Amino acid sequence: MRLVGPVGATLQAVAGALAIHLLLGLTFTWIISVVTHVDSTPYFSGGTSGTESERAYYSPAVLTTTGFGDLTAAHPVGRALAVLEMVVSQLYLVTVIGVLVGNLAARRMT
C-alpha cells in the first residue's frame, strides 16, 4: 500500500507486483521439487515426478489456472498444492494487482 501513496500507483509498482506474482510461481515450483525429492510416490498422473523443466512448466499453468492437461498432479499433496497455488494466485491478482491497476487507471484519467 505504500507504493500507492499520495501520488498513486505507478507503472513501476504494477510491474513489481507482477514480478512478485511470477516469483510466487517459482516458489511453488521449488516446493513441488522438494515434495518430489522427499516422497518416492510419482507426483504426476503419468507415473513420473517430472524433470525440473516439467515442474517449472506445470507451476505457471496452475498459477494462471490454465491447466493444459498434459501434466496433472496425482499425488495427494500435489493436488493440495495445486489448489493452494490457484487460490493464492487468484486472490493476489484480484486484490494487489487489481488495486494497483485500478489506481493507475484513475491516476491517468485525471
Side-chain angles (χ1 to χ4, degrees):
M1 293 314 289
R2 285 187 316 161
L3 293 174
V4 175
V7 187
T10 63
L11 196 55
Q12 183 179 9
V14 173
L18 289 173
I20 291 171
H21 190 247
L22 293 175
L23 286 173
L24 180 67
L26 289 175
T27 302
F28 274 96
T29 299
W30 177 80
I31 293 170
I32 292 167
S33 293
V34 169
V35 170
T36 60
H37 285 88
V38 169
D39 194 354
S40 61
T41 308
Y43 190 86
F44 296 114
S45 60
T48 179
S49 290
T51 63
E52 285 293 327
S53 64
E54 287 173 326
R55 292 189 289 267
Y57 161 79
Y58 169 78
S59 184
V62 172
L63 185 76
T64 59
T65 65
T66 306
F68 297 120
D70 52 346
L71 293 173
T72 305
H75 196 283
V77 173
R79 290 180 180 175
L81 281 173
V83 170
L84 181 65
E85 185 174 5
M86 286 183 247
V87 169
V88 169
S89 172
Q90 293 308 306
L91 287 174
Y92 183 82
L93 286 173
V94 167
T95 56
V96 176
I97 304 294
V99 167
L100 287 173
V101 169
N103 193 288
L104 181 65
R107 179 176 170 224
R108 290 187 178 212
M109 293 179 85
T110 59

